[in-house]
Amino acid sequence: MTYIPAVYGLGAGVGEVLMGMIVSELSKRIQGFGLKPTMVIGSVILTVYCALLHASTPMEAPMRPTSGEPIWFYQSYPLIFLIAFLAGTSDCCFNGVRSVICALVMPSRRAQSFSVSRMYQAAACVIIFFFSPTIPLYIYTFGLPILAVCSTIVFFKVVNSTNKMERKMTTETWLEQERNSSEREIKEKC
């Protein structure tokens, strides 16, 4: 198990790139694919990823070196690659939807909104890494899917309110254009 960091890095990188290509291609063909469907895909993949971690890692592994038994099956290079691949694909989904929603919600300040969201993500990672020597792995493997489901629900509400706001702005613009063209017609007749 000497090459775990290399195998994990390769798997995560391949997952990020492939998922980015898939989301990009499907977004061209299916309107709105970069929002709700991508978030659901990311949450489902994260749940599978956490289930594989839960089933293959001993309870005390994050806290100290252990020779404990995993619940179901042992780690291997192909399993580590698969777990990393799933982690990369879910990360790509979450980062993609975050980019899209930041651009939709705050179009004039998309860079700032994305930067602030990344800052919160970094702060959460620091907190998790700080407490990881004291928290069993199973807290993470149950907590992350629950957090993903809650995030998906909140994300759907934001997307729906953004869609309503866009429809309202489009309708107002259309009505304003109609009114302006009617006023021009009246002026031309006079």
Side-chain angles (χ1 to χ4, degrees):
M1 290 292 179
T2 306
Y3 301 105
I4 289 176
V7 171
Y8 192 89
L10 177 66
V14 169
E16 289 269 359
V17 171
L18 283 178
M19 194 62 185
M21 291 168 46
I22 291 168
V23 169
S24 175
E25 191 60 37
L26 289 175
S27 293
K28 293 175 188 172
R29 296 177 184 198
I30 302 169
Q31 183 179 0
F33 185 83
L35 290 169
K36 291 180 181 179
T38 302
M39 185 68 173
V40 170
I41 290 168
S43 295
V44 169
I45 291 173
L46 179 111
T47 303
V48 172
Y49 151 74
C50 285
L52 286 173
L53 274 177
H54 187 83
S56 66
T57 308
M59 175 88 153
E60 297 175 350
M63 297 179 283
R64 66 184 74 69
T66 181
S67 59
E69 295 290 316
I71 291 178
W72 222 347
F73 43 85
Y74 289 93
Q75 295 279 337
S76 65
Y77 286 129
L79 179 64
I80 292 167
F81 182 85
L82 177 64
I83 289 171
F85 179 83
L86 294 174
T89 55
S90 66
D91 184 58
C92 180
C93 289
F94 295 136
N95 286 329
V97 296
R98 182 174 49 215
S99 298
V100 171
I101 201 65
C102 286
L104 290 175
V105 172
M106 299 181 75
S108 62
R109 294 184 178 214
R110 57 179 83 163
Q112 292 92 338
S113 63
F114 185 76
S115 297
V116 169
S117 70
R118 292 292 287 191
M119 182 189 69
Y120 282 115
Q121 179 188 13
C125 287
V126 166
I127 292 168
I128 287 173
F129 286 141
F130 181 76
F131 287 112
S132 65
T134 60
I135 298 175
L137 178 72
Y138 303 134
I139 300 294
Y140 297 119
T141 58
F142 285 117
L144 282 175
I146 291 169
L147 183 61
V149 168
C150 294
S151 298
T152 302
I153 292 168
V154 171
F155 182 79
F156 274 39
K157 289 181 179 184
V158 171
V159 169
N160 290 339
S161 68
T162 304
N163 288 339
K164 288 177 188 175
M165 181 183 67
E166 282 182 341
R167 279 194 299 271
K168 182 180 176 186
M169 289 173 57
T170 304
T171 304
E172 288 174 358
T173 304
W174 181 77
L175 289 173
E176 187 176 310
Q177 288 174 350
E178 285 291 317
R179 189 176 64 235
N180 289 341
S181 67
S182 297
E183 289 173 359
R184 271 187 255 132
E185 288 176 7
I186 292 171
K187 287 180 183 179
E188 288 174 3
K189 289 180 182 178
C190 294

